[in-house]
Every structure is written in C-alpha cells, then in structure tokens.
Amino acid sequence: MDRNQIHTQLLALLTGVAPDIDPDSVDPVRNLRDQFDFDSMDALHFAVAVSETFGIEIAETDAAALANLQSAEHFVEQRLLSKEHT
Amino acid sequence: MDVEFLLPSLGADMEGATLTHWLKQPGDRVRRGEPLATVETTKGLIDIESYDDGQVLQLLVQPGTQVPVGHPLARLDVEAGSHTAAAPAPPVAPPVTGPQTLAASERVTPTPTEARATHTRMSPAARRRAHELGLPLSALEQAGGGGIIHVAEVEKLAAHAPAGSSDARVAMRATIGATMARSKREIPHYYLAHDVDFSPAREWVTRYNAAHTVKERLLEGVLIVKAVALAATRIEGFSGTFHEGRFHPAGAVHLGTAIALRGGGLVAPALLDAHQKDVPTLMREFSALVERVRAGHLRSGEFTAATLTLTSLGADGVDVLYPIINPPQVAIVGAGAIREHPWVEDRQLTVRAVLTLTLAADHRVTDGRSGARFLRTVADLLADPQSL
C-alpha cells in the first residue's frame, strides 16, 4: 500500500469517526484536536478504526502519532513496512 | 387496548418536533423501548420509543409534519398489563398550541410508500448546512440513499437548489438559552469544589489499557462517570427530579453526560443505570453514545431519562468549571482538566494528577453539607479505583 492509498483510507476513517467534517477541508499538518474539536473519545474511535483497517496494534503511547493526518500516514506506513519484514 | 402514542417532551422547553420517518407500519409488532419513529428537534434527530408492547394500528401524522408535544402520532393496540399510561419523562413545560398545531382533520394515514421512506441519517453539520441553505428533506433523502449524509452531499445539492433562511444553529442556541435561563431563574444553586488526587485512577487506567487492545481501551473519564453514579446512590438528594413543588428521588442513577457538538451546542444524553454497570460496560455504552451523537441520531429515552448530569471540558479544558443544573434535575457535577499539580501529602510536597470536581446543586433539595459529603464520596471512590 503506497502513501497515497494510506492517505485516502485515513481520510475515509476520519469522516467515519466524525461524519460532520468535510474531508476536503482537512489540513494534514494541523492537530485534529484543534482543527475539529476532537475529544478523547473521537481520538480513541479514530485509533480503533486505524488499528482494525490496517491490522496494526496501536499502544496508548502511540496516541501522539495519530494527532494529525500527516503523522498518522507516516505512522501507518512505518508499521505496515515493519509488518512486511517480520 | 387501543391507545394513542403521543409525541413525548424531550427537554424542559421543547415545544414540538418534525416527524421525519416512521420506523413501523400499521400491522407491525412493537416492543416497549423499540423505536417507532424518528423526529427532528433542535437537538438533532431522535428515535422515539414505544412505551408499550403491542401492535401499530394507524399512523396519524405524515413525515415532514411539525407537531406539538403531546400530539397523537399513532394508534397502538397495546397488550393488557403492558400499558404504562404515561411517558417516562417527568412532567415539563405544557404542550404549546400554536400555528404549527395540526387539526384533527389534517391527520393522515400514510400510504405504504410514504411510510417506508428510507431512514435518512445526517451529520449535525450537514443538517445545519441544509437548514442554512433551505434544502428540503425530501431532496436529502434521495441524496442519502440510506447512508449517512455529510456536508459534502449537502453542498453538492445546494448548487442546484434555491437558498433559504431557517437556521438550526440559532434554534439550538435558543433552546440552550431558554433551558439555562429557566434553571437560573427557578433553581437556587449552591456551588462546591474539591480537588481530587486522580493519580491512583490514572495508574489503574494505564495498567488496564496496556493489557488490552485498542478497542477495549478505557478513557479516564469513565472512572469519573462510575464514581459519580455510585456516590449518588450513597448520598441522597442528588439523583432525581424536582417538579410539582417537591423532589422526586430516582431509584436509579441515569447519568447525563454532556457531549459538545462540533460547531457549537451540546447534548446531554443519559447512560442508563450507570451505578450498576462495570467500568468496561460503561465505556462501551459511552462510546456508542458519542457515536450516535456524532451521527446526529439519539434515542428519546436517552434524552428524558437523566437523573443527574456530569459535564467535563475534556483534556484541553480549564481547571475548574461551574456548571448550571439541567432542569428538572437537581444537581450537576463538573470535572475540570486532569493536570499535573503540586500536592501535599504527609507534609511532603509532591506532584500528582489532580482533578477539580465541582458540584452545582439545588438548595430546595440539599444543603452544602450533603453536597460536601457527595463530592468527598466521589473522591474516595476515585482514590480506590478497584472499588469501581
């Protein structure tokens, strides 16, 4: 899966968690909490969706990696790569 | 027994609602607690539930019709012994009759096609945008095709539709304003605050989460939910409603949880029997509740049932908040942000995770002394998270 596919998937997951945000308006480097008033439950729902969709386990300490779309892309890409190598 | 199914009041100052969909048809069986219809209020789309077991005889109101609280929506044939006579909601503002009231002659029996309209779900932002743009619901139903409608679909449709003027955001603001004004006018509030050492609870949650998958993970706030609910079963006068000039204690704690809506406004649906449920169960139910709020689709029981409310401004919030009681309830607990803070224990200065809890309560029902016992009970429970 390339970075573009990851980006598209993550956007879909984001709007699944928060149906009231416009996918075209997402600023990839801005914190989701500031950008969309994500609360802790929204952030957890997003983590669950990412974990299930990509088949990767996400520790509580990885939460910071999902703070914005770009870092989430990077995180998922790295996890998928390390999965391939194991 | 032939009974009328009436539009319940879903809030202290709700005057009416627009029926958007029937979820049952004449001839369908319905169970107590099962949704019969979806209505649109200033708080969003809400599924209203049957109070009885029985069978639907006739639908009296067509989708798209605005009706006042207390207006008959359908006729049901109710099984003997099942009928509960009244809505579970406490009596609130009397039904208001106005220009929107339907005359009996205007009642209709929907044709099967009308009644089987697709069950459209819209995000709060999409609904707001649709109102701003004056888009008719029928157009959105077609666009939705049974799925959730987002802002993007509304915008696309708007390009082909004339502009309108109604504004749902203003309506919700007005609803909150009216409820809070009534609360401040009628309820003699008293306020208490107490700092709680949240470190044991935080450590407990961290250990629990490290041993569970992301899907089973807990939020710290759920421990506060459980502690507040348990404390309300131990200290009298905080879980219940005030009407007809006196306090009616609730046998259970249905904890309203204030959930902010993106773009403004909030709702406070209830976690039913929160005092009886274990923490992982409460977490699952709270999670599902937030999902339904985000999708703009709550159930009527969740709106009318709350006997006490908990409000929190979340991780990015401020240290202390001073909440206003949501009538006809008699108390509300506020939870500030959990923060690293200096703490003195055994004459030693340390740093702890500290939570400031506040209580706003009704002086017609309790005094500061019971309020203090209530907050201290919450603190004691949080100090021993195993007890939750």
Side-chain angles (χ1 to χ4, degrees), chain A residues 14-24 31-42 44-52 56-63, chain B residues 123-126 128 148-152 155 205-206 209-210 212-219 222 259-264 283 286-288 290-291 294-295 315-316:
Chain A
L14 210 51
T15 50
V17 168
D20 44 357
I21 65 175
D22 174 6
D24 296 332
N31 204 314
L32 294 171
R33 204 165 52 190
D34 301 335
Q35 201 176 169
F36 300 115
D37 276 342
F38 254 44
D39 61 17
S40 48
M41 187 65 87
D42 294 321
L44 181 58
H45 284 162
F46 185 49
V48 170
V50 171
S51 169
E52 288 182 342
I56 53 181
E57 184 51 37
I58 299 173
E60 206 168 23
T61 44
D62 296 327
Chain B
S123 71
R128 215 157 34 229
I148 297 176
I149 299 174
H150 302 110
V151 172
E155 299 278 1
V205 170
T206 304
N209 285 350
H212 289 82
T213 66
V214 61
K215 201 172 178 158
E216 300 160 326
R217 206 163 281 168
L218 301 177
L219 292 177
V222 177
I259 299 169
L261 303 177
R262 267 181 277 281
M283 179 65 197
F286 186 38
S287 174
V290 173
E291 275 178 11
R294 296 287 178 244
D316 279 337

Side-chain angles (χ1 to χ4, degrees), chain B residues 319-335:
Chain B
D319 294 347
V320 188
L321 65 145
Y322 303 94
I324 302 167
I325 297 168
N326 190 13
Q329 295 165 46
V330 298
I332 182 167
V333 177

